Amino acid sequence: MVTRDGGGKGRSKKEKKVSPDAPLTFETVDLFAQALTLFDRAADVMGLEPYVRTILQHPKNEIIVNFPVRLDDGRYKVFKGYRVQHNNVLGPYKGGIRYARFVTLGELKAMAFWMTMKNSLVGVPFGGAKGGVKLDPAHYSESEIQRITRRYTHALGTNIGPDWDIPAPDMGTNAQTMVWIADTYVNTFGSAVRFAGRGVVTGKTIANGGSLGRDEATGRGVVCTVQSWAAGNGTDLSKCTFAVQGFGNVGSFAGRILGDLGATMLAVQDHTGAIANPSGIDPHALAAHVRAAGGVKGFPGAKETTTEAFWATKCDILIPAALEYQITEQVAPTLRCRLVAEGANGPTAPEADAVLAAKGIEVIPDILANAGGVAVSFFEWTQNRRGESWTLDEVRAKLRTYMDTAYGRVKDVARERRIDNRTAAYVVSLTRLQEVYRERGIFP
Ligand code: NAD
């Protein structure tokens, strides 16, 4: 069932006036209700203990902070920041921080829930969380973003910490943002935590305690799962074509790595428009263009096209790597690919799954396909704790092991239970969570 955003909690009428007849979009859909629909499907299939189901239907903590920041022109503005901590039964809360104008509590509840599922599935010792600040990063200078980041971190205070809740980059944030968070955190809590405190975030720059391979990790992880899919059905990736929505961190690394394996990128769409070239788009040249121009629009190696034509691109692999709720019940019938590998979180509406299945399109679900980011975040956190620096080859080899193991488990469960990959991924994840709850019980 699709509903509008969660009970007025996520988005006030003042923020967004939506006609009740307007089609749902990623900004108006109740994403948390969507996430629970997927959860219920798997919980029913596996007969999840009712008390575990009840617990996981709610985030443990929903933190909202309002904090003032001085802008470059001398004005002061109060920003709204969030941190949702869904579950920590497997370890410290873990999940990204996004800066976007559409950030809401409802969206972050869904994202935090998905982090619990993802971390359990990929086998890292973390729970699930997600945070964000409601702002359009394009409207602020770098020094304003720095002051916003530092005040947000200060406002979160002890709600984050290397043994409690560990943020990472997501949409609109990057390694620089993480370094500002780490620096603010260690300065807030004193010199005693100066080095240990750096583990409060992952996805930092290398000079400031980051891990080699973290920047590319989510995109590379997506490609690992695509390689497993190809190996499983005798597909030669070097003869494959693909299309990518979103050419930021996840989309551009996935595109470049797939391109390096010989696959041909036919179309890309982002917030500036859509481009296509039937002879192929050079992913490295496009990444350089996006860095300089801020989006795919105007790329000389392709022609502009429409969003509708982008979705209808005839290709082997489609990688949504931008926003949630993109492959809707209306968009799904127009797809002409063999595989959807979900780089983004929640890009496919629950109703669209049946449409894709009926068309014979396989889906590698988000909590599996994009788990490479949190896997390498775990490696970074481990290196920080041990005072180690792993080589890029080590990181890539370990990432492949985690991704291949998770992919194998999902396919085994899908085969054994004759269920789709998404439901199977949730079953794997929930089985681990249920086992922990069964053994330790509920306090008191
Ligand atoms: P990013 O900010 O680096 O890039 C976002 C991309 O989305 C950009 O190309 C932007 O143009 C595009 N976009 C924004 N609005 C759009 C619109 N209206 N229509 C089409 N495209 C639009 O973000 P990212 O880190 O690459 O994250 C992308 C997705 O991957 C998100 O769903 C995020 O939660 C998910 N994800 C990211 C990571 C990570 O490590 N960064 C890990 C797991 C999942």
Side-chain angles (χ1 to χ4, degrees):
M1 189 190 63
V2 176
T3 56
R4 289 185 192 279
D5 195 358
K9 277 185 176 173
R11 196 175 273 114
S12 73
K13 280 185 186 150
K14 199 174 152 211
E15 286 165 334
K16 188 134 194 99
K17 289 198 182 89
V18 184
S19 150
D21 301 324
L24 288 165
T25 69
F26 74 95
E27 294 191 71
T28 54
V29 72
D30 184 344
L31 209 62
F32 189 54
Q34 297 235 314
L36 292 184
T37 301
L38 304 174
F39 167 68
D40 283 338
R41 271 186 207 163
D44 290 344
V45 163
M46 66 181 283
L48 185 71
E49 296 268 13
Y51 77 96
V52 179
R53 188 192 285 240
T54 304
I55 291 169
L56 293 175
Q57 278 168 340
H58 305 274
K60 282 185 111 173
N61 303 311
E62 302 169 28
I63 300 150
I64 301 181
V65 290
N66 296 303
F67 54 92
V69 176
R70 185 175 40 77
L71 303 179
D72 289 346
D73 63 8
R75 283 183 305 127
Y76 286 78
K77 185 172 160 88
V78 173
F79 291 85
K80 193 174 277 296
Y82 306 86
R83 186 71 181 166
V84 177
Q85 298 168 331
H86 177 262
N87 187 277
N88 63 348
V89 78
L90 296 179
Y93 299 109
K94 181 98 189 78
I97 286 181
R98 53 172 55 179
Y99 288 175
R101 65 177 166 72
F102 51 78
V103 160
T104 65
L105 186 61
E107 176 200 45
L108 296 174
K109 281 165 67 175
M111 297 281 161
F113 164 79
W114 280 321
M115 286 308 298
T116 301
M117 295 297 121
K118 188 185 307 180
N119 294 340
S120 176
L121 170 63
V122 80
V124 292
F126 291 134
K130 200 82 172 191
V133 181
K134 195 176 191 60
L135 62 86
D136 186 341
H139 290 167
Y140 298 94
S141 70
E142 198 188 8
S143 66
E144 287 171 332
I145 292 286
Q146 177 174 174
R147 290 197 293 279
I148 291 165
T149 301
R150 288 184 183 279
R151 280 303 301 246
Y152 170 55
T153 307
H154 191 263
L156 286 177
T158 53
N159 288 301
I160 57 171
D163 293 313
W164 177 246
D165 183 355
I166 308 140
D170 196 76
M171 286 189 85
T173 59
N174 55 28
Q176 175 63 77
T177 326
M178 295 306 115
V179 172
W180 288 329
I181 293 177
D183 186 60
T184 308
Y185 180 84
V186 298
N187 278 294
T188 304
F189 293 101
S191 51
V193 298
R194 177 148 290 275
F195 290 104
R198 294 192 306 181
V200 66
V201 280
T202 57
K204 302 179 287 289
T205 61
I206 304 301
N208 278 283
S211 173
L212 291 169
R214 175 59 185 87
D215 54 353
E216 63 171 32
T218 309
R220 182 168 290 278
V222 172
V223 175
C224 286
T225 62
V226 171
Q227 286 177 299
S228 296
W229 165 82
N233 60 36
T235 296
D236 179 355
L237 266 188
S238 70
K239 295 197 171 70
C240 282
T241 53
F242 66 100
V244 188
Q245 187 198 31
F247 217 66
N249 174 279
V250 180
S252 76
F253 274 112
R256 280 177 280 175
I257 296 167
L258 261 185
D260 291 347
L261 292 172
T264 306
M265 188 163 79
L266 298 180
V268 181
Q269 190 249 353
D270 76 357
H271 73 287
T272 62
I275 57 169
N277 184 342
S279 316
I281 298 169
D282 177 347
H284 291 276
L286 181 61
H289 173 83
V290 170
R291 267 196 300 277
V296 302
K297 194 179 168 69
F299 178 62
K303 287 210 166 98
E304 277 190 28
T305 184
T306 61
T307 298
E308 291 72 24
F310 164 79
W311 288 120
T313 304
K314 190 168 181 345
C315 59
D316 295 294
I317 305 152
L318 175 67
I319 304 177
L323 301 164
E324 49 270 17
Y325 200 64
Q326 296 298 295
I327 304 176
T328 58
E329 225 175 346
Q330 292 72 40
V331 170
T334 70
L335 301 194
R336 294 196 296 160
C337 57
R338 294 165 60 202
L339 175 74
V340 173
E342 296 182 338
N345 288 305
T348 306
E351 303 76 23
D353 275 338
V355 181
L356 298 181
K359 285 173 71 87
I361 298 174
E362 188 163 354
V363 176
I364 304 176
D366 48 5
I367 60 170
L368 171 60
N370 71 37
V374 78
V376 177
S377 274
F378 168 54
F379 304 161
E380 178 177 332
W381 183 75
T382 306
Q383 290 172 75
N384 287 166
R385 291 172 95 82
R386 293 185 186 164
E388 292 177 0
S389 300
W390 301 351
T391 65
L392 186 56
D393 284 348
E394 271 181 279
V395 169
R396 286 179 177 172
K398 284 186 207 293
L399 171 64
R400 178 162 295 281
T401 304
Y402 273 74
M403 296 307 296
D404 289 356
T405 305
Y407 187 92
R409 281 201 191 114
V410 170
K411 290 307 283 185
D412 286 348
V413 169
R415 213 173 295 116
E416 284 158 18
R417 293 184 178 258
R418 296 173 186 276
I419 52 179
D420 60 89
N421 292 344
R422 192 187 308 284
T423 309
Y426 278 80
V427 168
V428 173
S429 173
L430 291 170
T431 301
R432 183 173 171 213
L433 286 157
Q434 174 164 263
E435 195 181 342
V436 175
Y437 274 114
R438 268 191 187 144
E439 288 176 6
R440 57 159 246 189
I442 302 298
F443 176 84

